[in-house]
Short mmCIF file of all heavy atoms in Angstrom, two decimals:
data_model
loop_
_atom_site.label_atom_id
_atom_site.label_comp_id
_atom_site.label_asym_id
_atom_site.label_seq_id
_atom_site.Cartn_x
_atom_site.Cartn_y
_atom_site.Cartn_z
N ARG O 1398 14.88 2.01 28.71
CA ARG O 1398 14.10 2.24 27.48
C ARG O 1398 14.26 1.05 26.59
O ARG O 1398 15.40 0.60 26.35
CB ARG O 1398 14.55 3.51 26.80
CG ARG O 1398 13.77 3.90 25.60
CD ARG O 1398 13.13 5.21 25.84
NE ARG O 1398 12.39 5.64 24.69
CZ ARG O 1398 11.06 5.79 24.73
NH1 ARG O 1398 10.43 5.54 25.85
NH2 ARG O 1398 10.38 6.16 23.68
N VAL O 1399 13.20 0.46 26.07
CA VAL O 1399 13.26 -0.66 25.17
C VAL O 1399 12.76 -0.22 23.79
O VAL O 1399 11.69 0.31 23.65
CB VAL O 1399 12.41 -1.85 25.66
CG1 VAL O 1399 12.45 -3.00 24.68
CG2 VAL O 1399 12.87 -2.27 27.07
N ASP O 1400 13.63 -0.41 22.81
CA ASP O 1400 13.24 -0.12 21.42
C ASP O 1400 13.93 -1.12 20.49
O ASP O 1400 14.48 -2.09 20.94
CB ASP O 1400 13.44 1.34 21.05
CG ASP O 1400 14.90 1.79 21.12
OD1 ASP O 1400 15.79 0.93 21.17
OD2 ASP O 1400 15.14 2.99 21.13
N PHE O 1401 13.89 -0.81 19.23
CA PHE O 1401 14.38 -1.78 18.22
C PHE O 1401 15.26 -1.03 17.22
O PHE O 1401 15.21 0.17 17.05
CB PHE O 1401 13.20 -2.44 17.54
CG PHE O 1401 12.43 -3.26 18.54
CD1 PHE O 1401 11.41 -2.70 19.29
CD2 PHE O 1401 12.74 -4.60 18.75
CE1 PHE O 1401 10.73 -3.41 20.26
CE2 PHE O 1401 12.08 -5.32 19.74
CZ PHE O 1401 11.03 -4.72 20.45
N ARG O 1402 15.99 -1.82 16.51
CA ARG O 1402 16.96 -1.35 15.53
C ARG O 1402 16.35 -0.50 14.42
O ARG O 1402 15.33 -0.89 13.86
CB ARG O 1402 17.65 -2.59 14.94
CG ARG O 1402 18.79 -2.26 14.01
CD ARG O 1402 19.56 -3.52 13.70
NE ARG O 1402 20.66 -3.20 12.81
CZ ARG O 1402 20.66 -3.39 11.52
NH1 ARG O 1402 19.63 -3.97 10.95
NH2 ARG O 1402 21.70 -3.03 10.78
N GLN O 1403 16.98 0.62 14.16
CA GLN O 1403 16.54 1.48 13.08
C GLN O 1403 17.63 1.45 11.98
O GLN O 1403 17.33 1.80 10.84
CB GLN O 1403 16.32 2.91 13.54
CG GLN O 1403 15.28 3.04 14.63
CD GLN O 1403 13.89 2.62 14.17
OE1 GLN O 1403 13.47 3.11 13.14
NE2 GLN O 1403 13.29 1.77 14.91
N GLY O 1404 18.84 1.10 12.37
CA GLY O 1404 19.98 1.10 11.43
C GLY O 1404 20.99 2.14 11.83
O GLY O 1404 20.63 3.25 12.28
N GLY O 1405 22.27 1.79 11.78
CA GLY O 1405 23.33 2.72 12.11
C GLY O 1405 23.72 2.76 13.59
O GLY O 1405 24.66 3.48 13.93
N GLU O 1406 23.11 1.97 14.43
CA GLU O 1406 23.44 1.93 15.82
C GLU O 1406 24.87 1.40 16.04
O GLU O 1406 25.30 0.54 15.32
CB GLU O 1406 22.48 1.07 16.68
CG GLU O 1406 21.07 1.61 16.74
CD GLU O 1406 20.20 1.14 15.63
OE1 GLU O 1406 20.69 0.44 14.71
OE2 GLU O 1406 19.00 1.44 15.62
N ARG O 1407 25.53 1.92 17.06
CA ARG O 1407 26.85 1.48 17.44
C ARG O 1407 26.93 1.17 18.90
O ARG O 1407 26.28 1.83 19.69
CB ARG O 1407 27.86 2.55 17.02
CG ARG O 1407 27.83 2.88 15.52
CD ARG O 1407 28.87 3.86 15.09
NE ARG O 1407 30.19 3.35 14.96
CZ ARG O 1407 30.64 2.58 13.98
NH1 ARG O 1407 29.86 2.17 13.03
NH2 ARG O 1407 31.88 2.17 13.97
N LEU O 1408 27.73 0.16 19.26
CA LEU O 1408 27.89 -0.31 20.61
C LEU O 1408 29.17 0.16 21.21
O LEU O 1408 30.23 0.19 20.49
CB LEU O 1408 27.81 -1.84 20.66
CG LEU O 1408 26.62 -2.44 19.91
CD1 LEU O 1408 26.74 -3.95 19.88
CD2 LEU O 1408 25.33 -2.04 20.60
N HIS O 1409 29.23 0.55 22.46
CA HIS O 1409 30.46 0.96 23.13
C HIS O 1409 31.32 -0.23 23.44
O HIS O 1409 30.85 -1.16 24.13
CB HIS O 1409 30.11 1.72 24.42
CG HIS O 1409 29.44 3.03 24.21
ND1 HIS O 1409 30.14 4.20 23.98
CD2 HIS O 1409 28.12 3.34 24.16
CE1 HIS O 1409 29.27 5.18 23.86
NE2 HIS O 1409 28.04 4.70 23.92
N GLU O 1410 32.50 -0.25 22.93
CA GLU O 1410 33.48 -1.31 23.17
C GLU O 1410 34.78 -0.71 23.68
O GLU O 1410 35.00 0.50 23.51
CB GLU O 1410 33.75 -2.09 21.88
CG GLU O 1410 32.63 -2.97 21.41
CD GLU O 1410 32.48 -4.21 22.24
OE1 GLU O 1410 33.49 -4.81 22.69
OE2 GLU O 1410 31.32 -4.61 22.45
N ALA O 1411 35.59 -1.47 24.32
CA ALA O 1411 36.88 -0.97 24.87
C ALA O 1411 37.77 -0.37 23.76
O ALA O 1411 38.52 0.55 24.02
CB ALA O 1411 37.59 -2.15 25.60
N HIS O 1412 37.64 -0.91 22.58
CA HIS O 1412 38.49 -0.45 21.48
C HIS O 1412 37.77 0.38 20.45
O HIS O 1412 38.12 0.37 19.28
CB HIS O 1412 39.21 -1.64 20.82
CG HIS O 1412 39.96 -2.49 21.79
ND1 HIS O 1412 41.08 -2.06 22.46
CD2 HIS O 1412 39.66 -3.74 22.30
CE1 HIS O 1412 41.49 -3.04 23.26
NE2 HIS O 1412 40.66 -4.03 23.16
N GLY O 1413 36.70 1.07 20.85
CA GLY O 1413 35.97 1.87 19.93
C GLY O 1413 34.48 1.53 19.92
O GLY O 1413 34.02 0.95 20.85
N ARG O 1414 33.84 1.84 18.86
CA ARG O 1414 32.38 1.65 18.76
C ARG O 1414 32.11 0.63 17.62
O ARG O 1414 32.43 0.89 16.50
CB ARG O 1414 31.67 2.98 18.53
CG ARG O 1414 31.81 3.88 19.73
CD ARG O 1414 31.26 5.27 19.54
NE ARG O 1414 29.97 5.35 18.91
CZ ARG O 1414 28.80 5.47 19.51
NH1 ARG O 1414 28.75 5.54 20.80
NH2 ARG O 1414 27.70 5.58 18.84
N LEU O 1415 31.49 -0.45 18.01
CA LEU O 1415 31.20 -1.58 17.13
C LEU O 1415 29.81 -1.37 16.49
O LEU O 1415 28.86 -1.11 17.21
CB LEU O 1415 31.23 -2.88 17.93
CG LEU O 1415 30.69 -4.11 17.28
CD1 LEU O 1415 31.72 -4.65 16.23
CD2 LEU O 1415 30.46 -5.20 18.30
N PRO O 1416 29.71 -1.47 15.19
CA PRO O 1416 28.40 -1.38 14.56
C PRO O 1416 27.51 -2.58 15.05
O PRO O 1416 27.94 -3.71 15.07
CB PRO O 1416 28.68 -1.53 13.07
CG PRO O 1416 30.09 -1.14 12.90
CD PRO O 1416 30.77 -1.56 14.17
N LEU O 1417 26.28 -2.27 15.43
CA LEU O 1417 25.33 -3.29 15.89
C LEU O 1417 25.13 -4.34 14.81
O LEU O 1417 25.04 -5.53 15.08
CB LEU O 1417 24.02 -2.65 16.28
CG LEU O 1417 22.87 -3.55 16.62
CD1 LEU O 1417 23.24 -4.52 17.80
CD2 LEU O 1417 21.63 -2.75 16.97
N LYS O 1418 25.09 -3.91 13.55
CA LYS O 1418 24.94 -4.83 12.42
C LYS O 1418 25.99 -5.90 12.48
O LYS O 1418 25.67 -7.10 12.23
CB LYS O 1418 25.02 -4.05 11.13
CG LYS O 1418 24.88 -4.89 9.90
CD LYS O 1418 25.03 -4.06 8.63
CE LYS O 1418 24.94 -4.87 7.40
NZ LYS O 1418 25.13 -4.10 6.16
N ASP O 1419 27.21 -5.60 12.79
CA ASP O 1419 28.31 -6.55 12.85
C ASP O 1419 28.07 -7.61 13.93
O ASP O 1419 28.29 -8.80 13.70
CB ASP O 1419 29.65 -5.91 13.09
CG ASP O 1419 30.11 -5.03 11.92
OD1 ASP O 1419 29.47 -5.03 10.84
OD2 ASP O 1419 31.16 -4.37 12.05
N LEU O 1420 27.59 -7.20 15.08
CA LEU O 1420 27.29 -8.11 16.20
C LEU O 1420 26.19 -9.07 15.74
O LEU O 1420 26.32 -10.31 15.94
CB LEU O 1420 26.86 -7.37 17.43
CG LEU O 1420 26.24 -8.23 18.56
CD1 LEU O 1420 27.35 -8.98 19.29
CD2 LEU O 1420 25.45 -7.42 19.52
N LEU O 1421 25.11 -8.55 15.18
CA LEU O 1421 24.01 -9.37 14.75
C LEU O 1421 24.43 -10.38 13.63
O LEU O 1421 24.00 -11.53 13.66
CB LEU O 1421 22.83 -8.51 14.33
CG LEU O 1421 22.28 -7.61 15.44
CD1 LEU O 1421 21.18 -6.71 14.88
CD2 LEU O 1421 21.80 -8.38 16.61
N GLN O 1422 25.25 -9.95 12.72
CA GLN O 1422 25.71 -10.82 11.65
C GLN O 1422 26.59 -11.93 12.26
O GLN O 1422 26.45 -13.10 11.93
CB GLN O 1422 26.55 -10.08 10.62
CG GLN O 1422 25.72 -9.25 9.69
CD GLN O 1422 26.58 -8.43 8.74
OE1 GLN O 1422 27.76 -8.17 8.99
NE2 GLN O 1422 25.97 -8.04 7.60
#
Side-chain angles (χ1 to χ4, degrees):
R1398 184 117 179 116
V1399 178
D1400 61 16
F1401 297 86
R1402 184 168 182 260
Q1403 301 297 309
E1406 293 88 355
R1407 300 182 77 75
L1408 309 172
H1409 293 273
E1410 288 286 323
H1412 306 292
R1414 292 173 46 97
L1415 170 74
L1417 175 58
K1418 178 181 177 182
D1419 292 355
L1420 170 75
L1421 299 176
Q1422 284 177 338

